Short mmCIF file of all heavy atoms in Angstrom, two decimals:
data_model
loop_
_atom_site.label_atom_id
_atom_site.label_comp_id
_atom_site.label_asym_id
_atom_site.label_seq_id
_atom_site.Cartn_x
_atom_site.Cartn_y
_atom_site.Cartn_z
N SER A 4 61.39 -27.09 -75.89
CA SER A 4 59.92 -27.38 -75.82
C SER A 4 59.10 -26.24 -76.48
O SER A 4 58.02 -26.36 -76.75
CB SER A 4 59.47 -27.62 -74.38
OG SER A 4 59.55 -26.33 -73.73
N MET A 5 59.82 -25.00 -76.58
CA MET A 5 59.10 -23.89 -77.24
C MET A 5 59.26 -23.92 -78.69
O MET A 5 60.42 -24.13 -79.20
CB MET A 5 59.60 -22.58 -76.63
CG MET A 5 59.02 -21.41 -77.44
SD MET A 5 59.41 -19.80 -76.64
CE MET A 5 58.23 -19.83 -75.32
N GLN A 6 58.26 -23.68 -79.42
CA GLN A 6 58.30 -23.62 -80.91
C GLN A 6 57.83 -22.14 -81.33
O GLN A 6 56.77 -21.79 -81.12
CB GLN A 6 57.39 -24.64 -81.48
CG GLN A 6 57.72 -24.86 -83.00
CD GLN A 6 56.96 -26.10 -83.53
OE1 GLN A 6 56.40 -26.78 -82.71
NE2 GLN A 6 57.07 -26.45 -84.70
N ILE A 7 58.80 -21.43 -81.88
CA ILE A 7 58.45 -20.04 -82.19
C ILE A 7 57.96 -19.98 -83.60
O ILE A 7 58.55 -20.52 -84.63
CB ILE A 7 59.69 -19.11 -82.15
CG1 ILE A 7 60.26 -19.19 -80.69
CG2 ILE A 7 59.40 -17.83 -82.56
CD1 ILE A 7 59.28 -18.59 -79.73
N TYR A 8 56.72 -19.41 -83.81
CA TYR A 8 56.09 -19.27 -85.08
C TYR A 8 56.29 -17.85 -85.56
O TYR A 8 56.43 -16.98 -84.78
CB TYR A 8 54.58 -19.66 -84.97
CG TYR A 8 54.41 -21.12 -85.10
CD1 TYR A 8 55.12 -22.02 -84.40
CD2 TYR A 8 53.27 -21.57 -85.89
CE1 TYR A 8 54.85 -23.39 -84.43
CE2 TYR A 8 53.12 -22.91 -85.97
CZ TYR A 8 53.80 -23.79 -85.20
OH TYR A 8 53.51 -25.18 -85.38
N LYS A 9 56.16 -17.64 -86.88
CA LYS A 9 56.07 -16.35 -87.44
C LYS A 9 54.72 -15.69 -87.04
O LYS A 9 53.78 -16.39 -86.78
CB LYS A 9 56.27 -16.33 -88.94
CG LYS A 9 57.62 -16.56 -89.42
CD LYS A 9 57.76 -16.41 -90.90
CE LYS A 9 59.17 -16.65 -91.35
NZ LYS A 9 60.14 -15.57 -90.81
N CYS A 10 54.69 -14.45 -86.99
CA CYS A 10 53.52 -13.72 -86.66
C CYS A 10 52.45 -13.91 -87.70
O CYS A 10 52.72 -14.55 -88.72
CB CYS A 10 53.77 -12.22 -86.36
SG CYS A 10 52.41 -11.28 -85.73
N SER A 11 51.21 -13.51 -87.43
CA SER A 11 50.15 -13.62 -88.28
C SER A 11 50.47 -12.81 -89.55
O SER A 11 51.48 -12.10 -89.59
CB SER A 11 48.80 -13.11 -87.66
OG SER A 11 48.97 -11.75 -87.31
N LYS A 12 49.55 -12.73 -90.45
CA LYS A 12 49.79 -12.10 -91.80
C LYS A 12 50.02 -10.61 -91.65
O LYS A 12 50.55 -9.95 -92.58
CB LYS A 12 48.62 -12.38 -92.77
CG LYS A 12 48.46 -13.78 -93.10
CD LYS A 12 47.24 -14.02 -94.08
CE LYS A 12 47.12 -15.44 -94.44
NZ LYS A 12 45.94 -15.66 -95.32
N ILE A 13 49.74 -10.10 -90.46
CA ILE A 13 49.95 -8.64 -90.33
C ILE A 13 51.38 -8.22 -90.25
O ILE A 13 51.78 -7.23 -90.90
CB ILE A 13 49.22 -8.22 -89.07
CG1 ILE A 13 47.66 -8.45 -89.18
CG2 ILE A 13 49.39 -6.71 -88.72
CD1 ILE A 13 46.90 -8.23 -87.90
N CYS A 14 52.22 -9.00 -89.66
CA CYS A 14 53.58 -8.48 -89.49
C CYS A 14 54.70 -9.48 -89.95
O CYS A 14 55.72 -9.09 -90.30
CB CYS A 14 53.90 -8.23 -88.03
SG CYS A 14 53.65 -9.52 -86.92
N GLN A 15 54.32 -10.80 -89.98
CA GLN A 15 55.22 -11.80 -90.53
C GLN A 15 56.68 -11.81 -89.93
O GLN A 15 57.68 -12.00 -90.64
CB GLN A 15 55.33 -11.67 -92.02
CG GLN A 15 54.12 -12.16 -92.83
CD GLN A 15 53.88 -13.65 -92.67
OE1 GLN A 15 54.79 -14.45 -93.03
NE2 GLN A 15 52.71 -14.05 -92.22
N LYS A 16 56.76 -11.47 -88.66
CA LYS A 16 58.07 -11.46 -87.93
C LYS A 16 58.16 -12.67 -87.04
O LYS A 16 57.27 -13.09 -86.52
CB LYS A 16 58.26 -10.15 -87.31
CG LYS A 16 58.33 -8.93 -88.10
CD LYS A 16 58.51 -7.68 -87.33
CE LYS A 16 58.55 -6.44 -88.18
NZ LYS A 16 58.66 -5.11 -87.39
N ASP A 17 59.47 -13.06 -86.84
CA ASP A 17 59.69 -14.15 -85.82
C ASP A 17 59.39 -13.48 -84.44
O ASP A 17 59.85 -12.31 -84.28
CB ASP A 17 61.14 -14.59 -85.88
CG ASP A 17 61.36 -15.46 -87.09
OD1 ASP A 17 60.44 -16.04 -87.65
OD2 ASP A 17 62.52 -15.60 -87.49
N ILE A 18 58.78 -14.21 -83.57
CA ILE A 18 58.41 -13.63 -82.26
C ILE A 18 59.26 -14.26 -81.19
O ILE A 18 59.25 -15.50 -81.18
CB ILE A 18 56.83 -13.93 -81.94
CG1 ILE A 18 56.06 -13.18 -83.23
CG2 ILE A 18 56.59 -13.22 -80.67
CD1 ILE A 18 56.26 -11.72 -83.33
N TYR A 19 59.90 -13.52 -80.44
CA TYR A 19 60.64 -13.99 -79.25
C TYR A 19 60.05 -13.32 -77.94
O TYR A 19 59.68 -12.18 -77.96
CB TYR A 19 62.08 -13.63 -79.40
CG TYR A 19 62.71 -14.49 -80.56
CD1 TYR A 19 62.79 -13.85 -81.77
CD2 TYR A 19 63.24 -15.74 -80.38
CE1 TYR A 19 63.28 -14.50 -82.90
CE2 TYR A 19 63.78 -16.37 -81.42
CZ TYR A 19 63.83 -15.77 -82.71
OH TYR A 19 64.37 -16.46 -83.78
N PRO A 20 60.08 -14.05 -76.83
CA PRO A 20 59.67 -13.36 -75.58
C PRO A 20 60.57 -12.23 -75.29
O PRO A 20 61.83 -12.27 -75.35
CB PRO A 20 59.84 -14.52 -74.56
CG PRO A 20 59.76 -15.78 -75.43
CD PRO A 20 60.50 -15.43 -76.70
N LEU A 21 59.99 -11.08 -74.85
CA LEU A 21 60.69 -9.90 -74.43
C LEU A 21 60.58 -9.55 -73.01
O LEU A 21 59.56 -9.80 -72.42
CB LEU A 21 60.18 -8.67 -75.28
CG LEU A 21 60.31 -8.91 -76.82
CD1 LEU A 21 59.68 -7.71 -77.50
CD2 LEU A 21 61.76 -9.08 -77.27
N GLU A 22 61.66 -9.14 -72.38
CA GLU A 22 61.66 -8.81 -70.97
C GLU A 22 61.21 -7.33 -70.68
O GLU A 22 61.86 -6.63 -69.89
CB GLU A 22 63.07 -9.06 -70.36
CG GLU A 22 63.63 -10.45 -70.62
CD GLU A 22 62.83 -11.46 -69.80
OE1 GLU A 22 62.09 -11.04 -68.94
OE2 GLU A 22 63.06 -12.64 -69.99
N THR A 23 60.17 -6.97 -71.37
CA THR A 23 59.70 -5.50 -71.14
C THR A 23 58.19 -5.48 -71.14
O THR A 23 57.47 -6.38 -71.67
CB THR A 23 60.22 -4.66 -72.35
OG1 THR A 23 59.65 -5.17 -73.65
CG2 THR A 23 61.64 -4.61 -72.52
N ASN A 24 57.67 -4.47 -70.55
CA ASN A 24 56.24 -4.16 -70.51
C ASN A 24 55.46 -5.23 -69.71
O ASN A 24 55.49 -6.44 -70.01
CB ASN A 24 55.73 -4.12 -71.99
CG ASN A 24 54.49 -3.27 -72.00
OD1 ASN A 24 53.47 -3.65 -71.23
ND2 ASN A 24 54.34 -2.41 -72.92
N THR A 25 54.60 -4.76 -68.85
CA THR A 25 53.82 -5.66 -68.01
C THR A 25 52.41 -5.71 -68.46
O THR A 25 51.41 -5.93 -67.61
CB THR A 25 53.89 -5.32 -66.54
OG1 THR A 25 53.49 -4.01 -66.41
CG2 THR A 25 55.32 -5.45 -65.92
N PHE A 26 52.12 -5.52 -69.77
CA PHE A 26 50.79 -5.43 -70.22
C PHE A 26 50.03 -6.79 -69.98
O PHE A 26 48.88 -6.71 -69.54
CB PHE A 26 50.81 -5.22 -71.78
CG PHE A 26 49.49 -5.23 -72.41
CD1 PHE A 26 48.50 -4.26 -72.18
CD2 PHE A 26 49.16 -6.27 -73.17
CE1 PHE A 26 47.22 -4.33 -72.73
CE2 PHE A 26 47.84 -6.35 -73.75
CZ PHE A 26 46.89 -5.38 -73.60
N SER A 27 50.68 -7.88 -70.26
CA SER A 27 49.89 -9.21 -70.06
C SER A 27 50.50 -10.01 -69.04
O SER A 27 51.58 -9.66 -68.41
CB SER A 27 49.89 -9.94 -71.52
OG SER A 27 51.21 -10.15 -71.88
N ALA A 28 49.95 -11.10 -68.76
CA ALA A 28 50.24 -11.98 -67.68
C ALA A 28 51.51 -12.64 -67.76
O ALA A 28 52.05 -12.93 -68.81
CB ALA A 28 49.10 -12.97 -67.35
N LYS A 29 52.13 -12.92 -66.58
CA LYS A 29 53.37 -13.69 -66.62
C LYS A 29 53.09 -15.07 -66.89
O LYS A 29 52.05 -15.62 -66.51
CB LYS A 29 54.03 -13.64 -65.23
CG LYS A 29 54.58 -12.17 -64.83
CD LYS A 29 55.23 -12.19 -63.44
CE LYS A 29 55.68 -10.82 -63.14
NZ LYS A 29 56.27 -10.73 -61.74
N ILE A 30 53.93 -15.71 -67.66
CA ILE A 30 53.65 -17.05 -68.06
C ILE A 30 54.79 -18.00 -67.69
O ILE A 30 56.01 -17.67 -67.85
CB ILE A 30 53.48 -17.20 -69.62
CG1 ILE A 30 52.33 -16.29 -70.08
CG2 ILE A 30 53.36 -18.62 -70.06
CD1 ILE A 30 52.19 -16.18 -71.46
#
Side-chain angles (χ1 to χ4, degrees):
S4 67
M5 170 174 281
Q6 196 167 354
I7 300 299
Y8 275 46
K9 286 187 179 295
C10 189
S11 61
K12 293 180 180 179
I13 298 175
C14 62
Q15 287 293 308
K16 295 179 180 179
D17 289 337
I18 303 301
Y19 295 92
L21 303 176
E22 302 292 348
T23 59
N24 200 311
T25 58
F26 173 73
S27 59
K29 294 180 180 179
I30 300 172

